[in-house]
Amino acid sequence: MLNAIGSKADLESEDSSYHYLVADLLDSEVVQEMKNYVHHGNTSCFQHCLNVSYYNYKLCKLFSLNERAGARAGLLHDLFLYDWHCYVPEKGERLHGFTHAKRALENARKSFYISDLEADIIEKHMFPLNLFSLPRYRETLVIVFTDKLCGIMETVSYRGCVIKKFLKRKFGTVKGDA
C-alpha cells in the first residue's frame, strides 16, 4: 500500500481519483527508479515525490486549481536520478539545489508528455532558491510550499527516529514505547 507521509489514504486504490491521475507514472520504470535514491533523511526520492504529489493534488483541488497537473508534476519534480549526497559538480557547474529542477524536467520530457503548466511546476519548484525562475502559475506556488513542507516533515521524522533510538540505547525504554 502506498501512503503519503502523515496520510492513511491508500494511493494505489483504483477507486482513488488521485491514483487515476498518476497511475501511468507510478507504473513507469523511470519513476520506480527513484526508489534507488535517498532524498531527505531516510526517505527515498520516490517517497518524497509521492508525498509532494499527493499534497499538491489535495491543495490544488482545495483551491480549485489544476489538480491533475499538480499531482503529475509533483510526482516528477525531483526526477533527477542520481544520489545528490555524493554528486560532485564539475568545475563551473552549480550545486544540486540550483540545477536539479532542470534535470528533472529534461528526464520527465524524455519519458512523458509534459504540458506547459507541468513544466513550469517542475522547473520552478525550487523558488525562491532559484530566484530568477519566477513561477508563472498558482499551481507552481503550491508545489513551492508542499515541497518545502514535505522535506521538513521527512527530515524531522527521520531525526526523531534517530533521537528515539539513541535515547532507547542510553536509557532503555523511551516515553511512547509500548
Side-chain angles (χ1 to χ4, degrees), residues 13 28 43 71 109 113 117:
S13 169
S28 72
T43 303
R109 283 186 165 146
Y113 168 77
L117 173 55

Side-chain angles (χ1 to χ4, degrees), residues 116-132:
D116 290 343
L117 173 55
E118 292 165 340
D120 194 73
I121 295 170
I122 295 168
E123 186 174 24
K124 298 174 181 173
H125 79 271
M126 287 302 290
F127 181 81
L129 180 62
N130 294 341
L131 194 55
F132 300 107

Side-chain angles (χ1 to χ4, degrees), residues 15-138:
D15 296 334
S16 159
S17 54
Y18 169 81
H19 184 266
Y20 175 79
L21 298 175
V22 297
D24 62 315
L25 302 180
L26 289 172
D27 291 339
S28 72
E29 286 182 28
V30 70
V31 168
Q32 291 296 314
E33 189 179 335
M34 289 193 292
K35 290 179 177 178
N36 298 325
Y37 304 103
V38 174
H39 201 37
H40 300 127
N42 64 351
T43 303
S44 72
C45 194
F46 173 84
Q47 184 63 52
H48 169 72
C49 288
L50 184 70
N51 296 339
V52 171
S53 172
Y54 180 68
Y55 289 111
N56 265 5
Y57 164 77
K58 297 293 273 183
L59 287 173
C60 285
K61 193 171 184 173
L62 177 69
F63 296 124
S64 299
L65 302 174
N66 188 328
E67 70 255 27
R68 179 183 192 277
R72 293 178 68 82
L75 200 51
L76 301 172
H77 83 281
D78 278 342
L79 190 68
F80 45 81
L81 303 175
Y82 60 86
D83 184 351
W84 67 270
H85 303 90
C86 302
Y87 183 75
V88 178
E90 300 286 326
K91 184 174 180 164
E93 187 180 12
R94 298 180 76 193
L95 296 173
H96 167 81
F98 296 99
T99 61
H100 78 274
K102 283 190 188 293
R103 185 165 293 160
L105 180 57
E106 290 167 6
N107 289 338
R109 283 186 165 146
K110 288 177 189 173
S111 300
F112 310 103
Y113 168 77
I114 303 296
S115 69
D116 290 343
L117 173 55
E118 292 165 340
D120 194 73
I121 295 170
I122 295 168
E123 186 174 24
K124 298 174 181 173
H125 79 271
M126 287 302 290
F127 181 81
L129 180 62
N130 294 341
L131 194 55
F132 300 107
S133 291
L134 296 173
R136 288 181 52 200
Y137 303 98
R138 291 175 292 171

